[in-house]
Amino acid sequence: MKLHGQYMRLRAHYGSTDEVSATLDELAAILGCTHRNALNILGKMTRQGWVAWTPSRGRGRRSLLRFMAPRDDIAVQSMMLAMERRDAVSAAMEQIRSHAGVSALQDTLQSWLLAYSGHHAEMRRDRVIDTLRLPIRQPLHTIDPLHMNLLAESFVSSHVFDGLVRRGAGSEEILPGIAHAWETDETRTNWTFYLRKEVLLHNGAILDAGDVVYSFSRLIQMPRGRLYSFILRDIVEVTAMGPLTVSIRLKAPNELFLSFLCTSRAAVVPREPERSGESRLVHKPVGTGPFKIAELNREFCVLEAFSHYFQGRAQLDRVEILHVPWDAEPSAADSGSPFHIIQNPLPEESASLSRTHTETSVRKFITCNTKKAGPLSDPAIRAEILSCLDGINEPDGGTGATDPDGGSGATGPNGVSGCSGMSGGSDPHHLAAVGKTASLPGLSLRIATIPQYAADAELVAKKLAGRGISAAIVSVPPEEFKGAVRMEADLILFSLVRDRDEQLRLFDLYQTLAEHVTPQIRSEIEAGLHLIARESSHAARAEAFRRIEDRLIQERELHILYEKPVETAYLPSVRGVRFNSQGWIDLRHVWFPQQ
């Protein structure tokens, strides 16, 4: 596969020319190797029939190099070899993409990927094996609920592990999961969960209360700053009351507790992997879910249906998930396209597809660090700076939903780009503040974000530059975002996924945001969250969250950039389309009619 990359590098350097005159020194420089190694590489390519090399005698003399193999063929060969090895697929794609230089090659690779992906059926021992191949844009670092940061990781994890309870489809109803029943006392601090009998793990063992205690003990000991850690800090004790009974005691009542138990973060990770070494938890986890891990690395994940799943076997037999570090979706809708499921389709992509909204949207926002000494401690300057950001839309090619599981955000009543009327525009308080403000040109600000939102940060910096404000962008991985880099920034750019876990995300957001606002606003946020945690009504909690948001917008602590709905398109051949609480397809119910 390395030889394929070297050939692509030579073809990219010389463009469409099939015959060139070159010295060995020039070729060595292109290939980044010694004179001797360049000669060896040419020898290997000649034996493959890729090139014809006619050397001239004497060092420094120009020789004839003729390219015999089309670059498209070599690119596809490289991809096929990478797929067979399954350990360098993303690297091969990036290498081909960086050396391609022409759109024709991109079209060839796109066509190959389209042919590889989608639904495939084959006969094995008189059985039809249904395989769904899905490309994703994020690598899979881990599917361990303790360490997940990316949505792709959460998506896979939700099919491997189960929680004590789960959400009903399209509703706020809490349904049985691993636990078939539960109850709480009058104080709503002592919860008892009754586990199903004979729930099998993927390794054949039977899950018991000790597995649940082990799983929650791991979560309770997790570092501060993880998503939904505010719930975990309320857990005092998790106890096995018997083989199938678990007791969880809270410090204080928290009406978001059951909602938390429905998330992939609270999935039960059995203690069996620990006995065989922690590495098994990362590379080949064992759960109770509808699919078991057959293979897992950063580029490739294979899920196989777990025949003994306690809620019924999946209709798919196998799911292959491939990390593709670039846009792999088709450029136009095609009824024959094997891309049966397309997240956030473009209008031209879905003319012949069925479309459905997943009741999920993604909102990008900016918050101000008013705890930091500097110009943003002045509300008038904040108002004028945020007014510069009206009219920002989603960056070209963005998906708007790249890292929801590691993120949080804020909601607004209008749900429109720029949030006109919420943080600027005709607001009299805003206009009065601007009238008092010194000139903005010359200000230097720092924007903190994560790599997935770098394009949004660049748009913000460009808007500010138009008013003479320089903005340096500091981008760190999601797991580092709640650390010092946030407290050292002036502006903080992140997102909120507005799904059925939205109230959990908002609580997490406002707790984090309270750390970098003025003492008065912090006090108001903490008082509001205290009441929310004890409010049993979902609608009343939503109203309380809205009041916190309105206050932050009023004080120029928060500015909504834009919001984008998450939509899914799929071919009519896909049956059983259902969505989980985060708006992703639930693979357990997907099936394809046999032809």
Side-chain angles (χ1 to χ4, degrees):
M1 201 167 69
K2 183 178 181 181
L3 191 65
H4 292 75
Q6 291 165 334
Y7 183 83
M8 295 296 297
R9 190 177 301 171
L10 290 174
R11 291 305 313 250
H13 181 83
Y14 289 112
S16 60
T17 304
D18 290 331
E19 191 173 291
V20 298
S21 174
T23 67
L24 267 178
D25 288 337
E26 291 171 348
L27 296 177
I30 295 169
L31 295 170
C33 65
T34 65
H35 182 281
R36 182 175 180 178
N37 283 341
L39 197 57
N40 288 335
I41 291 169
L42 289 173
K44 292 178 183 178
M45 291 182 182
T46 300
R47 289 190 290 274
Q48 292 283 344
W50 298 353
V51 302
W53 170 248
T54 306
S56 297
R57 293 184 177 276
R59 188 176 181 88
R61 297 285 299 275
R62 305 193 74 79
S63 301
L64 186 65
L65 176 64
R66 184 181 299 113
F67 294 104
M68 311 292 288
R71 74 175 77 192
D72 295 8
D73 292 352
I74 302 302
V76 172
Q77 285 181 31
S78 179
M79 281 301 307
M80 293 176 67
L81 284 172
M83 286 306 305
E84 290 175 5
R85 290 176 50 181
R86 294 181 180 175
D87 62 352
V89 178
S90 295
M93 289 184 176
E94 281 292 0
Q95 184 181 64
I96 292 167
R97 188 180 187 222
S98 63
H99 295 316
V102 291
S103 59
L105 180 54
Q106 294 300 307
D107 294 341
T108 299
L109 289 173
Q110 194 91 327
S111 298
W112 179 88
L113 192 61
L114 285 170
Y116 168 81
S117 302
H119 174 239
H120 296 261
E122 60 178 314
M123 292 294 296
R124 292 185 191 173
R125 298 177 182 176
D126 298 327
R127 289 183 59 231
V128 176
I129 303 299
D130 286 304
T131 299
L132 181 62
R133 294 170 176 167
L134 297 174
I136 58 174
R137 295 193 185 99
Q138 296 173 345
L140 296 173
H141 300 285
T142 179
I143 64 168
D144 182 352
L146 187 64
H147 302 295
M148 296 184 306
N149 283 299
L150 302 178
L151 178 58
E153 297 167 347
S154 178
F155 169 65
V156 175
S157 181
S158 67
H159 289 90
V160 176
F161 302 107
D162 287 296
L164 290 171
V165 293
R166 59 189 176 90
R167 285 193 190 278
S171 72
E172 297 301 324
E173 184 182 9
I174 307 295
L175 300 177
I178 291 175
H180 68 87
W182 59 93
E183 61 190 15
T184 185
D185 65 0
E186 294 180 356
T187 68
R188 298 187 70 77
T189 59
N190 294 298
W191 293 80
T192 304
F193 296 87
Y194 302 97
L195 309 184
R196 297 176 188 264
K197 293 182 177 180
E198 297 186 4
V199 172
L200 288 181
L201 305 180
H202 297 155
N203 59 6
I206 296 177
L207 179 132
D208 62 22
D211 293 305
V212 178
V213 172
Y214 164 80
S215 186
F216 277 88
S217 296
R218 294 174 69 239
L219 292 174
I220 294 169
Q221 296 166 13
M222 72 193 300
R224 186 176 182 276
R226 298 284 184 178
L227 191 64
Y228 309 148
S229 59
F230 69 92
I231 292 280
L232 297 171
R233 289 195 296 271
D234 276 349
I235 297 178
V236 176
E237 186 179 30
V238 182
T239 308
M241 307 301 290
L244 296 174
T245 306
V246 176
S247 171
I248 301 179
R249 183 162 61 91
L250 306 180
K251 293 178 183 176
N254 193 323
E255 296 301 329
L256 293 173
F257 176 60
L258 279 182
S259 294
F260 166 71
L261 295 184
C262 295
T263 70
S264 58
R265 294 284 175 161
V268 174
V269 178
R271 61 189 184 277
E272 176 63 25
E274 187 189 42
R275 298 177 192 144
S276 301
E278 191 67 21
S279 60
R280 282 197 59 198
L281 193 62
V282 177
H283 299 294
K284 200 170 182 181
V286 172
T288 61
F291 291 90
K292 59 184 179 181
I293 293 289
E295 187 174 342
L296 177 62
N297 56 54
R298 290 184 62 175
E299 280 105 17
F300 200 74
C301 174
V302 178
L303 304 176
E304 293 180 348
F306 182 44
S307 298
H308 304 291
Y309 184 52
F310 67 90
Q311 296 195 73
R313 186 193 189 279
Q315 297 304 308
L316 288 172
D317 299 291
R318 183 179 172 93
V319 179
E320 297 180 0
I321 301 171
L322 172 66
H323 172 221
V324 181
W326 43 281
D327 189 351
E329 292 176 358
S331 58
D334 178 359
S335 60
S337 168
F339 267 85
H340 296 285
I341 300 170
I342 303 174
Q343 202 85 354
N344 289 315
L346 297 173
E348 64 270 20
E349 290 176 344
S350 52
S352 62
L353 302 176
S354 300
R355 300 171 71 98
T356 182
H357 288 278
T358 64
E359 301 180 2
T360 298
S361 62
V362 178
R363 179 168 282 183
K364 299 289 178 66
F365 65 90
I366 285 278
T367 62
C368 297
N369 181 6
T370 51
K371 188 173 182 179
K372 175 184 175 181
L376 296 191
S377 58
D378 184 340
I381 292 181
R382 290 201 303 274
E384 188 164 358
I385 287 174
L386 294 180
S387 72
C388 301
L389 306 182
D390 286 335
I392 284 184
N393 294 307
E394 182 189 19
D396 292 339
T399 65
T402 52
D403 187 32
D405 208 45
S408 51
T411 60
N414 297 335
V416 294
S417 175
C419 297
S420 177
M422 287 195 289
S423 58
S426 59
D427 181 6
H429 176 77
H430 165 74
L431 295 176
V434 171
K436 299 176 184 177
T437 313
S439 179
L440 292 180
L443 283 180
S444 294
L445 302 176
R446 176 178 293 191
I447 303 173
T449 191
I450 62 173
Q452 288 84 354
Y453 306 148
D456 296 284
E458 288 168 3
L459 284 179
V460 170
K462 185 176 179 180
K463 279 274 192 177
L464 295 176
R467 297 288 293 272
I469 304 169
S470 66
I473 299 171
V474 180
S475 177
V476 297
E479 60 270 19
E480 299 177 18
F481 191 72
K482 289 187 178 181
V485 65
R486 180 173 56 89
M487 301 305 293
E488 295 168 358
D490 300 288
L491 300 173
I492 299 157
L493 191 155
F494 219 69
S495 76
L496 167 74
V497 178
R498 302 186 66 188
D499 54 14
R500 281 183 284 158
D501 295 335
E502 179 180 5
Q503 292 196 350
L504 284 166
R505 298 182 188 280
L506 283 172
F507 202 105
D508 189 77
L509 161 73
Y510 291 140
Q511 275 204 332
T512 302
L513 195 149
E515 296 174 1
H516 61 257
V517 296
T518 62
Q520 174 61 33
I521 297 299
R522 175 169 186 160
S523 177
E524 293 180 27
I525 291 175
E526 290 176 344
L529 294 180
H530 179 81
L531 294 175
I532 286 170
R534 286 150 182 79
E535 174 55 63
S536 60
S537 166
H538 183 275
R541 291 197 301 269
E543 176 62 21
F545 279 124
R546 189 192 62 78
R547 288 195 296 270
I548 293 175
E549 175 196 284
D550 289 346
R551 181 67 171 137
L552 291 169
I553 290 171
Q554 179 187 27
E555 291 298 317
R556 315 301 169 190
E557 298 276 5
L558 170 69
H559 181 86
I560 312 301
L561 297 174
Y562 64 85
E563 180 173 350
K564 179 179 179 177
V566 174
E567 189 177 36
T568 296
Y570 55 93
L571 288 171
S573 59
V574 180
R575 307 292 176 84
V577 174
R578 301 185 192 179
F579 299 96
N580 64 19
S581 64
Q582 295 175 327
W584 276 61
I585 292 285
D586 186 342
L587 297 177
R588 184 167 74 92
H589 301 287
V590 170
W591 62 282
F592 295 88
Q594 294 188 13
Q595 302 298 320

PDB file of all heavy atoms in Angstrom, residues 20-25 27 38-39 42-43 46 51-56 61-68:
ATOM      1  N   VAL A  20       7.715  11.739 -18.807  1.00  0.00           N
ATOM      2  CA  VAL A  20       8.495  12.880 -18.307  1.00  0.00           C
ATOM      3  C   VAL A  20       9.980  12.572 -18.372  1.00  0.00           C
ATOM      4  O   VAL A  20      10.399  11.403 -18.376  1.00  0.00           O
ATOM      5  CB  VAL A  20       8.111  13.220 -16.850  1.00  0.00           C
ATOM      6  CG1 VAL A  20       6.660  13.631 -16.747  1.00  0.00           C
ATOM      7  CG2 VAL A  20       8.406  12.052 -15.932  1.00  0.00           C
ATOM      8  N   SER A  21      10.761  13.628 -18.401  1.00  0.00           N
ATOM      9  CA  SER A  21      12.215  13.527 -18.332  1.00  0.00           C
ATOM     10  C   SER A  21      12.647  13.992 -16.945  1.00  0.00           C
ATOM     11  O   SER A  21      12.290  15.099 -16.520  1.00  0.00           O
ATOM     12  CB  SER A  21      12.858  14.403 -19.415  1.00  0.00           C
ATOM     13  OG  SER A  21      14.265  14.431 -19.270  1.00  0.00           O
ATOM     14  N   ALA A  22      13.381  13.139 -16.227  1.00  0.00           N
ATOM     15  CA  ALA A  22      13.726  13.469 -14.849  1.00  0.00           C
ATOM     16  C   ALA A  22      15.030  12.805 -14.456  1.00  0.00           C
ATOM     17  O   ALA A  22      15.452  11.810 -15.068  1.00  0.00           O
ATOM     18  CB  ALA A  22      12.612  13.013 -13.919  1.00  0.00           C
ATOM     19  N   THR A  23      15.658  13.361 -13.426  1.00  0.00           N
ATOM     20  CA  THR A  23      16.847  12.739 -12.852  1.00  0.00           C
ATOM     21  C   THR A  23      16.437  11.955 -11.614  1.00  0.00           C
ATOM     22  O   THR A  23      15.381  12.208 -11.023  1.00  0.00           O
ATOM     23  CB  THR A  23      17.889  13.798 -12.465  1.00  0.00           C
ATOM     24  OG1 THR A  23      17.370  14.571 -11.383  1.00  0.00           O
ATOM     25  CG2 THR A  23      18.219  14.724 -13.646  1.00  0.00           C
ATOM     26  N   LEU A  24      17.304  11.034 -11.222  1.00  0.00           N
ATOM     27  CA  LEU A  24      17.016  10.269 -10.000  1.00  0.00           C
ATOM     28  C   LEU A  24      16.973  11.180  -8.779  1.00  0.00           C
ATOM     29  O   LEU A  24      16.199  10.948  -7.847  1.00  0.00           O
ATOM     30  CB  LEU A  24      18.073   9.181  -9.802  1.00  0.00           C
ATOM     31  CG  LEU A  24      17.743   7.798 -10.377  1.00  0.00           C
ATOM     32  CD1 LEU A  24      18.905   6.848 -10.149  1.00  0.00           C
ATOM     33  CD2 LEU A  24      16.472   7.235  -9.745  1.00  0.00           C
ATOM     34  N   ASP A  25      17.801  12.212  -8.786  1.00  0.00           N
ATOM     35  CA  ASP A  25      17.802  13.153  -7.670  1.00  0.00           C
ATOM     36  C   ASP A  25      16.450  13.860  -7.560  1.00  0.00           C
ATOM     37  O   ASP A  25      15.929  14.070  -6.462  1.00  0.00           O
ATOM     38  CB  ASP A  25      18.921  14.178  -7.830  1.00  0.00           C
ATOM     39  CG  ASP A  25      20.294  13.571  -7.593  1.00  0.00           C
ATOM     40  OD1 ASP A  25      20.366  12.530  -6.908  1.00  0.00           O
ATOM     41  OD2 ASP A  25      21.289  14.130  -8.100  1.00  0.00           O
ATOM     42  N   LEU A  27      13.522  12.697  -8.628  1.00  0.00           N
ATOM     43  CA  LEU A  27      12.535  11.719  -8.184  1.00  0.00           C
ATOM     44  C   LEU A  27      12.684  11.427  -6.691  1.00  0.00           C
ATOM     45  O   LEU A  27      11.684  11.258  -5.969  1.00  0.00           O
ATOM     46  CB  LEU A  27      12.667  10.436  -9.001  1.00  0.00           C
ATOM     47  CG  LEU A  27      12.360  10.564 -10.501  1.00  0.00           C
ATOM     48  CD1 LEU A  27      12.590   9.230 -11.207  1.00  0.00           C
ATOM     49  CD2 LEU A  27      10.929  11.040 -10.729  1.00  0.00           C
ATOM     50  N   ALA A  38      15.078   5.564  -4.227  1.00  0.00           N
ATOM     51  CA  ALA A  38      14.273   5.958  -5.386  1.00  0.00           C
ATOM     52  C   ALA A  38      14.437   4.938  -6.509  1.00  0.00           C
ATOM     53  O   ALA A  38      13.460   4.576  -7.188  1.00  0.00           O
ATOM     54  CB  ALA A  38      14.670   7.350  -5.856  1.00  0.00           C
ATOM     55  N   LEU A  39      15.654   4.459  -6.687  1.00  0.00           N
ATOM     56  CA  LEU A  39      15.913   3.450  -7.726  1.00  0.00           C
ATOM     57  C   LEU A  39      15.193   2.143  -7.388  1.00  0.00           C
ATOM     58  O   LEU A  39      14.623   1.487  -8.279  1.00  0.00           O
ATOM     59  CB  LEU A  39      17.422   3.221  -7.854  1.00  0.00           C
ATOM     60  CG  LEU A  39      17.907   2.518  -9.132  1.00  0.00           C
ATOM     61  CD1 LEU A  39      17.468   3.279 -10.374  1.00  0.00           C
ATOM     62  CD2 LEU A  39      19.414   2.367  -9.099  1.00  0.00           C
ATOM     63  N   LEU A  42      11.426   2.598  -8.119  1.00  0.00           N
ATOM     64  CA  LEU A  42      11.159   2.531  -9.555  1.00  0.00           C
ATOM     65  C   LEU A  42      11.196   1.090 -10.038  1.00  0.00           C
ATOM     66  O   LEU A  42      10.408   0.692 -10.908  1.00  0.00           O
ATOM     67  CB  LEU A  42      12.173   3.382 -10.326  1.00  0.00           C
ATOM     68  CG  LEU A  42      12.020   4.898 -10.173  1.00  0.00           C
ATOM     69  CD1 LEU A  42      13.186   5.622 -10.840  1.00  0.00           C
ATOM     70  CD2 LEU A  42      10.697   5.366 -10.780  1.00  0.00           C
ATOM     71  N   GLY A  43      12.130   0.301  -9.477  1.00  0.00           N
ATOM     72  CA  GLY A  43      12.218  -1.114  -9.844  1.00  0.00           C
ATOM     73  C   GLY A  43      10.948  -1.865  -9.481  1.00  0.00           C
ATOM     74  O   GLY A  43      10.435  -2.679 -10.265  1.00  0.00           O
ATOM     75  N   THR A  46       8.145  -0.844 -11.809  1.00  0.00           N
ATOM     76  CA  THR A  46       8.347  -1.446 -13.136  1.00  0.00           C
ATOM     77  C   THR A  46       7.867  -2.892 -13.139  1.00  0.00           C
ATOM     78  O   THR A  46       7.186  -3.337 -14.073  1.00  0.00           O
ATOM     79  CB  THR A  46       9.830  -1.367 -13.528  1.00  0.00           C
ATOM     80  OG1 THR A  46      10.239   0.017 -13.569  1.00  0.00           O
ATOM     81  CG2 THR A  46      10.066  -1.992 -14.898  1.00  0.00           C
ATOM     82  N   VAL A  51       5.069   1.585 -14.367  1.00  0.00           N
ATOM     83  CA  VAL A  51       5.924   2.557 -15.049  1.00  0.00           C
ATOM     84  C   VAL A  51       6.907   1.825 -15.969  1.00  0.00           C
ATOM     85  O   VAL A  51       7.162   0.620 -15.797  1.00  0.00           O
ATOM     86  CB  VAL A  51       6.727   3.437 -14.062  1.00  0.00           C
ATOM     87  CG1 VAL A  51       5.802   4.186 -13.114  1.00  0.00           C
ATOM     88  CG2 VAL A  51       7.748   2.609 -13.292  1.00  0.00           C
ATOM     89  N   ALA A  52       7.430   2.581 -16.920  1.00  0.00           N
ATOM     90  CA  ALA A  52       8.569   2.126 -17.719  1.00  0.00           C
ATOM     91  C   ALA A  52       9.698   3.126 -17.483  1.00  0.00           C
ATOM     92  O   ALA A  52       9.526   4.329 -17.698  1.00  0.00           O
ATOM     93  CB  ALA A  52       8.199   2.058 -19.200  1.00  0.00           C
ATOM     94  N   TRP A  53      10.842   2.633 -17.014  1.00  0.00           N
ATOM     95  CA  TRP A  53      11.956   3.506 -16.630  1.00  0.00           C
ATOM     96  C   TRP A  53      13.125   3.230 -17.566  1.00  0.00           C
ATOM     97  O   TRP A  53      13.633   2.114 -17.640  1.00  0.00           O
ATOM     98  CB  TRP A  53      12.340   3.250 -15.184  1.00  0.00           C
ATOM     99  CG  TRP A  53      13.602   3.897 -14.697  1.00  0.00           C
ATOM    100  CD1 TRP A  53      14.761   3.295 -14.341  1.00  0.00           C
ATOM    101  CD2 TRP A  53      13.828   5.297 -14.518  1.00  0.00           C
ATOM    102  NE1 TRP A  53      15.692   4.200 -13.926  1.00  0.00           N
ATOM    103  CE2 TRP A  53      15.150   5.462 -14.030  1.00  0.00           C
ATOM    104  CE3 TRP A  53      13.052   6.434 -14.728  1.00  0.00           C
ATOM    105  CZ2 TRP A  53      15.699   6.696 -13.751  1.00  0.00           C
ATOM    106  CZ3 TRP A  53      13.597   7.668 -14.438  1.00  0.00           C
ATOM    107  CH2 TRP A  53      14.902   7.800 -13.962  1.00  0.00           C
ATOM    108  N   THR A  54      13.501   4.264 -18.315  1.00  0.00           N
ATOM    109  CA  THR A  54      14.632   4.159 -19.254  1.00  0.00           C
ATOM    110  C   THR A  54      15.736   5.073 -18.748  1.00  0.00           C
ATOM    111  O   THR A  54      15.707   6.291 -18.988  1.00  0.00           O
ATOM    112  CB  THR A  54      14.206   4.568 -20.676  1.00  0.00           C
ATOM    113  OG1 THR A  54      13.059   3.807 -21.067  1.00  0.00           O
ATOM    114  CG2 THR A  54      15.342   4.308 -21.654  1.00  0.00           C
ATOM    115  N   PRO A  55      16.715   4.490 -18.021  1.00  0.00           N
ATOM    116  CA  PRO A  55      17.763   5.346 -17.440  1.00  0.00           C
ATOM    117  C   PRO A  55      18.812   5.768 -18.461  1.00  0.00           C
ATOM    118  O   PRO A  55      19.037   5.081 -19.467  1.00  0.00           O
ATOM    119  CB  PRO A  55      18.381   4.437 -16.374  1.00  0.00           C
ATOM    120  CG  PRO A  55      18.171   3.065 -16.901  1.00  0.00           C
ATOM    121  CD  PRO A  55      16.879   3.083 -17.664  1.00  0.00           C
ATOM    122  N   SER A  56      19.435   6.901 -18.189  1.00  0.00           N
ATOM    123  CA  SER A  56      20.580   7.372 -18.973  1.00  0.00           C
ATOM    124  C   SER A  56      21.828   7.209 -18.136  1.00  0.00           C
ATOM    125  O   SER A  56      21.805   7.390 -16.910  1.00  0.00           O
ATOM    126  CB  SER A  56      20.401   8.849 -19.359  1.00  0.00           C
ATOM    127  OG  SER A  56      19.267   9.004 -20.199  1.00  0.00           O
ATOM    128  N   ARG A  61      22.325  12.750 -15.269  1.00  0.00           N
ATOM    129  CA  ARG A  61      21.750  12.712 -16.605  1.00  0.00           C
ATOM    130  C   ARG A  61      20.241  12.509 -16.499  1.00  0.00           C
ATOM    131  O   ARG A  61      19.747  11.800 -15.635  1.00  0.00           O
ATOM    132  CB  ARG A  61      22.364  11.564 -17.413  1.00  0.00           C
ATOM    133  CG  ARG A  61      23.859  11.688 -17.667  1.00  0.00           C
ATOM    134  CD  ARG A  61      24.157  12.738 -18.730  1.00  0.00           C
ATOM    135  NE  ARG A  61      23.543  12.385 -20.006  1.00  0.00           N
ATOM    136  CZ  ARG A  61      24.111  11.577 -20.910  1.00  0.00           C
ATOM    137  NH1 ARG A  61      25.298  11.016 -20.661  1.00  0.00           N
ATOM    138  NH2 ARG A  61      23.497  11.321 -22.047  1.00  0.00           N
ATOM    139  N   ARG A  62      19.488  13.085 -17.414  1.00  0.00           N
ATOM    140  CA  ARG A  62      18.038  12.983 -17.395  1.00  0.00           C
ATOM    141  C   ARG A  62      17.611  11.667 -18.043  1.00  0.00           C
ATOM    142  O   ARG A  62      18.116  11.279 -19.095  1.00  0.00           O
ATOM    143  CB  ARG A  62      17.382  14.169 -18.093  1.00  0.00           C
ATOM    144  CG  ARG A  62      17.834  15.519 -17.516  1.00  0.00           C
ATOM    145  CD  ARG A  62      16.942  16.651 -17.988  1.00  0.00           C
ATOM    146  NE  ARG A  62      15.649  16.642 -17.337  1.00  0.00           N
ATOM    147  CZ  ARG A  62      15.427  17.093 -16.101  1.00  0.00           C
ATOM    148  NH1 ARG A  62      16.431  17.589 -15.381  1.00  0.00           N
ATOM    149  NH2 ARG A  62      14.219  17.046 -15.583  1.00  0.00           N
ATOM    150  N   SER A  63      16.673  10.995 -17.385  1.00  0.00           N
ATOM    151  CA  SER A  63      16.177   9.716 -17.866  1.00  0.00           C
ATOM    152  C   SER A  63      14.690   9.834 -18.199  1.00  0.00           C
ATOM    153  O   SER A  63      14.026  10.823 -17.855  1.00  0.00           O
ATOM    154  CB  SER A  63      16.389   8.634 -16.798  1.00  0.00           C
ATOM    155  OG  SER A  63      17.761   8.523 -16.480  1.00  0.00           O
ATOM    156  N   LEU A  64      14.152   8.793 -18.848  1.00  0.00           N
ATOM    157  CA  LEU A  64      12.771   8.824 -19.301  1.00  0.00           C
ATOM    158  C   LEU A  64      11.906   7.976 -18.364  1.00  0.00           C
ATOM    159  O   LEU A  64      12.196   6.802 -18.134  1.00  0.00           O
ATOM    160  CB  LEU A  64      12.670   8.286 -20.728  1.00  0.00           C
ATOM    161  CG  LEU A  64      11.278   8.392 -21.382  1.00  0.00           C
ATOM    162  CD1 LEU A  64      10.889   9.855 -21.560  1.00  0.00           C
ATOM    163  CD2 LEU A  64      11.278   7.665 -22.729  1.00  0.00           C
ATOM    164  N   LEU A  65      10.852   8.588 -17.854  1.00  0.00           N
ATOM    165  CA  LEU A  65       9.896   7.888 -17.000  1.00  0.00           C
ATOM    166  C   LEU A  65       8.526   7.933 -17.672  1.00  0.00           C
ATOM    167  O   LEU A  65       7.989   9.007 -17.931  1.00  0.00           O
ATOM    168  CB  LEU A  65       9.816   8.539 -15.615  1.00  0.00           C
ATOM    169  CG  LEU A  65       8.789   7.959 -14.642  1.00  0.00           C
ATOM    170  CD1 LEU A  65       9.130   6.505 -14.294  1.00  0.00           C
ATOM    171  CD2 LEU A  65       8.702   8.797 -13.368  1.00  0.00           C
ATOM    172  N   ARG A  66       7.970   6.746 -17.956  1.00  0.00           N
ATOM    173  CA  ARG A  66       6.668   6.661 -18.611  1.00  0.00           C
ATOM    174  C   ARG A  66       5.674   6.014 -17.645  1.00  0.00           C
ATOM    175  O   ARG A  66       5.934   4.924 -17.119  1.00  0.00           O
ATOM    176  CB  ARG A  66       6.759   5.837 -19.889  1.00  0.00           C
ATOM    177  CG  ARG A  66       5.435   5.805 -20.677  1.00  0.00           C
ATOM    178  CD  ARG A  66       5.530   4.970 -21.940  1.00  0.00           C
ATOM    179  NE  ARG A  66       6.537   5.514 -22.851  1.00  0.00           N
ATOM    180  CZ  ARG A  66       7.673   4.885 -23.142  1.00  0.00           C
ATOM    181  NH1 ARG A  66       7.956   3.719 -22.588  1.00  0.00           N
ATOM    182  NH2 ARG A  66       8.522   5.425 -23.985  1.00  0.00           N
ATOM    183  N   PHE A  67       4.566   6.713 -17.394  1.00  0.00           N
ATOM    184  CA  PHE A  67       3.521   6.189 -16.507  1.00  0.00           C
ATOM    185  C   PHE A  67       2.597   5.290 -17.330  1.00  0.00           C
ATOM    186  O   PHE A  67       1.986   5.728 -18.312  1.00  0.00           O
ATOM    187  CB  PHE A  67       2.717   7.324 -15.877  1.00  0.00           C
ATOM    188  CG  PHE A  67       3.527   8.180 -14.938  1.00  0.00           C
ATOM    189  CD1 PHE A  67       3.960   9.445 -15.320  1.00  0.00           C
ATOM    190  CD2 PHE A  67       3.868   7.723 -13.674  1.00  0.00           C
ATOM    191  CE1 PHE A  67       4.706  10.231 -14.459  1.00  0.00           C
ATOM    192  CE2 PHE A  67       4.611   8.501 -12.809  1.00  0.00           C
ATOM    193  CZ  PHE A  67       5.040   9.754 -13.203  1.00  0.00           C
ATOM    194  N   MET A  68       2.450   4.042 -16.882  1.00  0.00           N
ATOM    195  CA  MET A  68       1.669   3.050 -17.621  1.00  0.00           C
ATOM    196  C   MET A  68       0.295   2.789 -16.992  1.00  0.00           C
ATOM    197  O   MET A  68      -0.628   2.359 -17.673  1.00  0.00           O
ATOM    198  CB  MET A  68       2.436   1.719 -17.680  1.00  0.00           C
ATOM    199  CG  MET A  68       3.883   1.858 -18.114  1.00  0.00           C
ATOM    200  SD  MET A  68       4.046   2.362 -19.824  1.00  0.00           S
ATOM    201  CE  MET A  68       3.536   0.872 -20.667  1.00  0.00           C
TER     202      MET A  68
END
